[in-house]
Amino acid sequence: MGLLSDKVAVVTGAGRGVGRAVAFELAEAGAAVALAARTVSEIESAAETIRAGGHRSITVPTDVTRQSEVDTLFARTREELGEVDILVNNAAIIGPTGKLWETNLSDWHDIFDINLFSMVRCASAALPSMVERGCGKIINVGSTAGWTDSWVPGNAEQAAYAATKAAIMRFSACLAQQVKGDGVNVNCVGVSAHTRMSDEARLALARVRGTPPPPTMDDLPISQQVLPETNAPLFVFLASSMSDYITGQYLEANQMPRRRSEHR
């Protein structure tokens, strides 16, 4: 029996990177997991790995900018797995990179729609049942970019991304206050890892600055990478009853351990 036995989780952006790692960790802790993302092949691959480990998982191809697809995600999850106990809002893009006057307002609309408003849609779909049952965990994925430039040193040219992450932190804190007496916890996690998205961010910055491209995941030995899985245990903690007394907080996995395989 795991910490999350008999729980049902929805993870958006679950096809790769941190979302995929979190989905695996939640499943290992006993949760049945619905994987949502736009790329079908990626979530199908992740679900196959989860099922091979003896855990329940479904895939629901979802564009989180479309309300109808978000509604389908939660309807299918309830029908096939049960009421949603845990929601991990992870879907995100880097968005426009460059000086403000060199970016398009439509790109700003797009990144807010994906990074922030998708969380509003998914939380709105999950909360009525959580409040009615008096239990639930919502974990929104933020970033250090929301309050400092240490995520990518001097990443001022990715102001749209940073602005969405700052908004997510406040959205999480305010939502937590709204449901504080209803048995529902809402927290925000700042993640740090080498992923395809972090590579895209650094390469985009190098292009607009005219500097040499930085090393990517493919250039670094695995021993030098911060793997997405190092963040995942924090999500299990926040999804479990151990964190019933924590809500409205922004937390980070800010000290990366050795690769987990080296501990085994």
Side-chain angles (χ1 to χ4, degrees):
M1 299 290 287
L3 280 173
L4 304 179
S5 294
D6 302 322
K7 300 297 183 181
V8 174
V10 169
V11 182
T12 67
R16 59 178 181 163
V18 171
R20 183 184 178 101
V22 168
F24 288 170
E25 197 82 9
L26 295 178
E28 284 291 325
V33 185
L35 309 178
R38 288 182 291 191
T39 306
V40 176
S41 60
E42 290 181 348
I43 54 175
E44 288 290 352
S45 171
E48 288 175 7
T49 302
I50 290 173
R51 293 175 193 138
H55 310 294
R56 289 196 299 160
S57 181
I58 64 170
T59 59
V60 187
T62 306
D63 180 343
V64 291
T65 68
R66 297 179 180 274
Q67 185 65 54
S68 61
E69 295 192 22
V70 170
D71 292 341
T72 297
L73 166 62
F74 283 85
R76 277 198 53 197
T77 302
R78 290 181 178 116
E79 178 182 348
E80 299 182 37
L81 298 178
E83 291 290 346
V84 176
D85 304 293
I86 302 157
L87 168 61
V88 177
N89 279 316
N90 171 69
I93 61 171
I94 292 298
T97 300
K99 303 292 187 182
L100 178 63
W101 56 93
E102 297 170 345
T103 60
N104 297 317
L105 184 59
S106 61
D107 292 333
W108 280 70
H109 281 289
D110 288 343
I111 189 173
F112 269 86
D113 204 10
I114 293 173
N115 291 15
L116 176 63
F117 296 141
S118 69
M119 296 188 180
V120 175
R121 294 185 188 96
C122 290
S124 296
L127 275 170
S129 172
M130 290 181 174
V131 169
E132 181 180 354
R133 290 178 290 129
C135 62
K137 307 281 187 173
I138 295 178
I139 307 168
N140 298 323
V141 176
S143 169
T144 56
W147 62 274
T148 177
D149 67 359
S150 64
W151 179 67
V152 176
N155 67 326
E157 292 93 339
Q158 288 170 339
Y161 179 84
T164 63
K165 293 301 182 178
I168 288 165
M169 292 171 66
R170 289 304 304 146
F171 167 67
S172 302
C174 291
L175 185 59
Q177 289 300 313
Q178 291 181 26
V179 296
K180 192 170 184 179
D182 296 312
V184 180
N185 299 67
V186 183
N187 290 292
C188 183
V189 172
V191 299
S192 177
H194 286 100
T195 64
R196 296 301 174 192
M197 195 170 87
S198 67
D199 280 352
E200 292 167 9
R202 290 171 172 83
L203 290 171
L205 283 171
R207 284 193 298 270
V208 300
R209 293 171 176 172
T211 57
T216 66
M217 290 174 61
D218 296 331
D219 301 321
L220 294 172
I222 193 70
S223 60
Q224 294 181 19
Q225 295 183 31
V226 178
L227 302 180
E229 67 179 31
T230 59
N231 296 268
L234 179 55
F235 286 79
V236 172
F237 169 72
L238 290 174
S240 75
S241 60
M242 292 192 299
S243 67
D244 284 349
Y245 54 91
I246 299 174
T247 195
Q249 300 301 304
Y250 172 76
L251 301 95
E252 290 180 11
N254 62 359
Q255 179 169 303
M256 296 298 106
R258 292 176 297 168
R259 289 181 60 215
R260 294 177 63 191
S261 59
E262 293 176 3
H263 292 283
R264 295 173 179 166

